[in-house]
Amino acid sequence: METSLVKLQNLVLQYDTDANFANEYVALMHRPSNLMETAPVLYDPEEKGHIIKKNTYVDFSTYFNCLQLNNWKEHTNAANFKLKLIFKGKAAVEIVEIFKNSQNVNRNIILHETISSDEKTEVTLDIPVSERPLLGFAVTALEDFYIYEGAYWAEVPKEDVRSVRISLVSTTFRKEAYILKNMEMLRKKVLCEGSELADSLFVHVIDNGRTLDAEGLSGGKLKVYPNKNVGGAGGFSRGMIEALALDPQPDYVLLMDDDVLIIPESLFRTYYLLRILKPEYYDYFVSGAMFDYDIRELQYEDVGYVHPKDASYGPIKDRLDMREIDSLLKNEEMADRERENSYAGWWYCCIPTHLIKKNGLPLPVFVRGDDVEFSLRNKAKFLTLNGICIWHVGFAGKFNAAMELYQVHRNSFVFQATSGVCKDINFIRRMHILFWKEITRFSYDNAQQIVDAVADFMKGPEFLKNLDGEASIKAHGAMNEKYVPIETLPFRYNIRSEDPYSYKRLSLFSKAMYVLTINGHLLPGFLLRHVPQVIAYDWYFVPGKNFRRKYLIPVNPKDGTACIRTINRRRCFSLMRKYRKVMKNYKKNHAAVEAAYRNAFSEFTSETFWKEYLGI
């Protein structure tokens, strides 16, 4: 059988990434023998290569530079793996297997070779056969040693190597600092002459804010489209429409957020994977991992799912510090987890074009839930790979009531009704629980968001069709609590010294009192404690800290801000009346409303609807 030698992934070093990767993040690329130090790999601009000083050991068995051997074997017909290095100098190179038998990480050297050259040259190291999940390599410089480039390669049957075209779609809304930087990176390092992706990638930037110079920024294989502010769903739908109109039509549409940090290797690695997939994986989505922009070693999510017990959303995998070898192995183990109602976030998601043509465009829900519904509607399965990732700004761990309580839940009802997905998920029960929690911790505007989510869903598909999403976001955003620096609060004790995430138990009697009195709303004022209590500003809920307080101080420890909540009986009882009225309407009429949404599905996901909706 005739084979081709194909590249799987490039070696990633500091100069290959964004300049924002300071020293504390280089452990994603390489690490020294002493983990308390920073590996001394420096970029020499004259040599245009990275230098490792004599007698220095550097381990490249890292997030970006490990080879996920089992992953490549399972999803492709790659075999006879190789490591290629373009180098100068003299060094001992070890190729190692990385695995666990019990608790400890094992490193087994399977190849040890000394390479030497006084001139810039290329060496190919044949990797011995291994059945371990991860392979890596390490370098000991026997004299000053330059690495110019490196990559893992493999032999693949010629008939298994296919031509792949990708259309990248990024939707932006007045985030010029991020999108312009990403566009510049794409032009210089991905769409440039000599790039392996130059002829296989077309970039669509959908400008929902209409603030970019579309004509001046467009050119070659990158085009900017001024678009109505129709949220992420509308922006990505516009991008899909433009991608489908290309000739030749792309094989995949890659959706990517605007406010992200990305390195070129993520795009190249996506392309390398797609072109040698086994046919049974052609329909899979490639889901890029989301890392926290502020804690850049933390992998937050690559594939998520809707939790069946409480109807919440969250990652399938644990959050992992990807500087650690142990985390790399856990990431491999958890890749086998399968969850019903799984989805890929559209911060970085590569979708087969034929599925868009077959199953339609996204629902017009503005923001939140469009990616969940689209994955579930397509019964998507997912491929992930180390190094296919982004760093998202202000997403991981940030609580925004207008988004999390109103937008997410309104849209959850919409896509459950319209597409028929998440049939066994009890979203209305979740609303009952959340409303009770917000009322009893005096977060009345948050409770109003929950009431609005159900009420607006019950207005039916015509509401969605005629929705001014931007106005809705602004209106509900204005209901979010206003947080100020802790030092500006009027209370005169040290709020910073209290842990908002500490726990406090309630006795059985106190639990009964909490429930029966709606946490003090039915008690006379003299039975309430006037000393305020510090609580968490987000999802973290501790009745023991809320109990019989007149004042609660939700604190956001990440930015040192807080606000004051005061018990308000009138507001509480008014909201409860509204809530009962909305729930009575839901109970009586939800079946008819859901049927109307189902009947609107074909229209909402059609190109005809979206072109009219977008005004194109």
Side-chain angles (χ1 to χ4, degrees):
M1 181 183 296
E2 193 173 1
T3 62
S4 296
L5 189 62
V6 298
K7 189 186 289 186
L8 305 182
Q9 59 190 66
N10 294 296
L11 181 63
V12 177
L13 296 169
Q14 294 101 305
Y15 190 74
D16 305 312
T17 66
D18 189 281
N20 288 309
F21 270 87
N23 286 339
E24 59 264 36
Y25 305 115
V26 298
L28 295 171
M29 295 167 261
H30 54 71
R31 61 173 66 84
S33 54
N34 182 352
L35 294 181
M36 300 303 292
E37 298 176 357
T38 299
V41 179
L42 304 174
Y43 184 73
D44 184 334
E46 291 186 5
E47 280 282 341
K48 292 185 171 55
H50 292 81
I51 181 171
I52 303 174
K53 287 295 187 179
K54 182 179 179 180
N55 298 328
T56 300
Y57 171 92
V58 179
D59 184 7
F60 294 92
S61 305
T62 58
Y63 173 73
F64 278 116
N65 294 321
C66 267
L67 182 69
Q68 293 167 276
L69 194 61
N70 288 351
N71 202 332
W72 286 104
K73 286 181 180 178
E74 179 181 353
H75 300 118
T76 75
N77 287 319
N80 300 325
F81 297 89
K82 305 172 191 301
L83 172 65
K84 287 190 177 187
L85 295 174
I86 299 177
F87 75 98
K88 183 175 75 173
K90 185 177 182 180
V93 179
E94 300 172 348
I95 294 179
V96 296
E97 300 172 318
I98 304 165
F99 60 97
K100 270 185 170 183
N101 286 328
S102 55
Q103 294 298 313
N104 296 325
V105 175
N106 295 292
R107 294 168 56 85
N108 180 41
I109 300 172
I110 57 175
L111 180 71
H112 190 289
E113 192 165 320
T114 299
I115 58 176
S116 178
S117 175
D118 294 331
E119 302 293 332
K120 182 177 177 181
T121 192
E122 179 179 281
V123 64
T124 298
L125 302 175
D126 292 317
I127 298 174
V129 174
S130 172
E131 299 303 319
R132 301 299 185 181
L134 291 177
L135 294 180
F137 74 98
V139 170
T140 302
L142 304 177
E143 59 185 50
D144 287 357
F145 185 76
Y146 285 89
I147 297 180
Y148 300 94
E149 293 177 37
Y152 290 103
W153 295 69
E155 293 177 7
V156 178
K158 268 195 170 181
E159 62 266 26
D160 292 343
V161 182
R162 59 182 181 143
S163 174
V164 171
R165 292 182 297 275
I166 302 171
S167 179
L168 189 156
V169 176
S170 186
T171 298
T172 185
F173 180 76
R174 297 175 185 171
K175 291 180 179 174
E176 289 82 356
Y178 297 103
I179 193 65
L180 290 174
K181 185 176 183 180
N182 288 337
M183 289 166 65
E184 181 183 17
M185 179 275 291
L186 288 167
R187 286 193 188 281
K188 287 185 175 180
K189 298 189 175 182
V190 180
L191 300 174
C192 58
E193 186 178 349
S195 164
E196 295 159 286
L197 269 173
D199 296 326
S200 300
L201 183 72
F202 194 101
V203 178
H204 308 268
V205 176
I206 313 301
D207 179 19
N208 281 355
R210 298 181 179 236
T211 55
L212 299 177
D213 177 7
E215 187 176 343
L217 292 170
S218 297
K221 290 205 164 189
L222 188 153
K223 187 172 180 180
V224 178
Y225 303 82
N227 203 48
K228 290 172 62 177
N229 185 20
V230 284
F236 286 127
S237 294
R238 173 71 185 272
M240 290 178 181
I241 290 169
E242 300 297 347
L244 292 172
L246 290 176
D247 185 17
Q249 200 171 82
D251 304 287
Y252 292 87
V253 176
L254 170 55
L255 307 180
M256 189 176 78
D257 271 345
D258 57 344
D259 53 345
V260 298
L261 169 65
I262 185 171
I263 63 171
E265 177 63 12
S266 293
L267 298 167
F268 286 114
R269 211 165 283 191
T270 302
Y271 170 70
Y272 298 149
L273 175 64
L274 292 176
R275 65 180 179 166
I276 59 170
L277 283 177
K278 293 176 181 176
E280 57 263 39
Y281 296 106
Y282 285 176
D283 283 355
Y284 279 50
F285 291 18
V286 177
S287 180
M290 179 177 69
F291 282 67
D292 191 325
Y293 190 90
D294 298 315
I295 312 172
R296 295 195 186 158
E297 67 275 9
L298 182 64
Q299 179 177 281
Y300 187 86
E301 180 178 320
D302 55 13
V303 177
Y305 75 111
V306 187
H307 296 229
K309 289 185 178 180
D310 64 1
S312 63
Y313 299 78
I316 286 180
K317 297 178 181 178
D318 301 337
R319 293 170 193 172
L320 297 171
D321 181 343
M322 300 306 280
R323 296 173 299 181
E324 306 294 334
I325 293 182
D326 187 58
S327 291
L328 299 179
L329 288 168
K330 285 180 181 176
N331 199 43
E332 295 302 298
E333 294 166 7
M334 289 185 287
D336 292 332
R337 289 182 180 177
E338 289 192 5
R339 296 281 192 273
E340 194 174 356
N341 299 318
S342 296
Y343 61 85
W346 283 357
W347 49 78
Y348 189 105
C349 181
C350 197
I351 301 167
T353 306
H354 75 269
L355 291 180
I356 301 171
K357 294 166 68 177
K358 176 183 176 183
N359 296 322
L361 295 163
L363 289 179
V365 292
F366 201 79
V367 293
R368 292 300 178 90
D370 45 352
D371 46 6
V372 177
E373 184 275 335
F374 195 84
S375 290
L376 299 182
R377 182 207 311 172
N378 283 279
K379 299 179 175 59
K381 295 186 178 180
F382 308 99
L383 299 170
T384 62
L385 196 65
N386 289 354
I388 299 180
C389 62
I390 53 89
W391 287 261
H392 205 297
V393 177
F395 190 98
K398 185 176 180 180
F399 181 82
N400 179 320
M403 290 293 178
E404 305 302 335
L405 297 177
Y406 173 75
Q407 198 75 24
V408 166
H409 292 104
R410 185 202 73 190
N411 293 349
S412 297
F413 286 114
V414 167
F415 70 63
Q416 186 182 53
T418 310
S419 306
V421 299
C422 291
K423 289 180 181 178
D424 299 325
I425 302 295
N426 194 339
F427 289 117
I428 201 68
R429 179 176 178 272
R430 177 170 175 80
M431 304 309 277
H432 284 300
I433 293 169
L434 289 176
F435 181 82
W436 171 254
K437 286 181 177 180
E438 298 305 329
I439 283 289
T440 61
R441 58 182 179 181
F442 317 154
S443 184
Y444 305 112
D445 284 335
N446 286 3
Q448 181 68 59
Q449 307 260 25
I450 294 166
V451 173
D452 289 349
V454 182
D456 285 349
F457 162 71
M458 289 299 294
K459 293 173 183 175
E462 287 302 313
F463 165 78
L464 200 64
K465 187 183 297 187
N466 299 302
L467 176 66
D468 184 337
E470 184 176 7
S472 176
I473 288 288
K474 286 180 179 178
H476 287 92
M479 294 167 61
N480 287 345
E481 290 179 314
K482 306 302 184 287
Y483 283 74
V484 298
I486 288 172
E487 292 77 12
T488 65
L489 295 181
F491 291 103
R492 297 184 178 278
Y493 73 108
N494 189 4
I495 296 171
R496 285 188 182 276
S497 66
E498 295 198 33
D499 180 7
Y501 295 99
S502 63
Y503 190 77
K504 188 175 182 180
R505 292 186 180 278
L506 283 177
S507 67
L508 287 175
F509 175 76
S510 295
K511 285 181 182 177
M513 285 282 289
Y514 191 98
V515 173
L516 293 173
T517 69
I518 318 173
N519 188 26
H521 286 91
L522 295 175
L523 288 177
F526 71 87
L527 289 179
L528 300 179
R529 289 175 281 189
H530 286 231
V531 176
Q533 174 65 56
V534 168
I535 64 171
Y537 82 111
D538 51 17
W539 296 107
Y540 193 69
F541 178 72
V542 183
K545 299 179 80 172
N546 305 334
F547 185 54
R548 284 201 306 120
R549 298 284 177 176
K550 183 177 181 180
Y551 305 105
L552 295 173
I553 303 179
V555 171
N556 181 351
K558 294 179 181 178
D559 60 9
T561 60
C563 71
I564 300 170
R565 295 177 187 164
T566 305
I567 191 169
N568 186 327
R569 293 173 179 81
R570 180 179 294 178
R571 188 83 195 278
C572 171
F573 301 140
S574 172
L575 279 165
M576 291 184 74
R577 287 192 295 272
K578 290 179 182 177
Y579 180 72
R580 290 192 188 104
K581 182 178 179 181
V582 165
M583 287 301 172
K584 183 179 179 181
N585 180 42
Y586 177 86
K587 186 176 182 180
K588 181 180 179 181
N589 299 309
H590 75 90
V593 172
E594 288 164 2
Y597 277 108
R598 280 195 300 276
N599 291 335
F601 172 77
S602 296
E603 178 188 3
F604 279 159
T605 57
S606 69
E607 190 169 315
T608 301
F609 166 81
W610 272 107
K611 283 186 173 180
E612 183 178 345
Y613 190 77
L614 296 168
I616 58 173

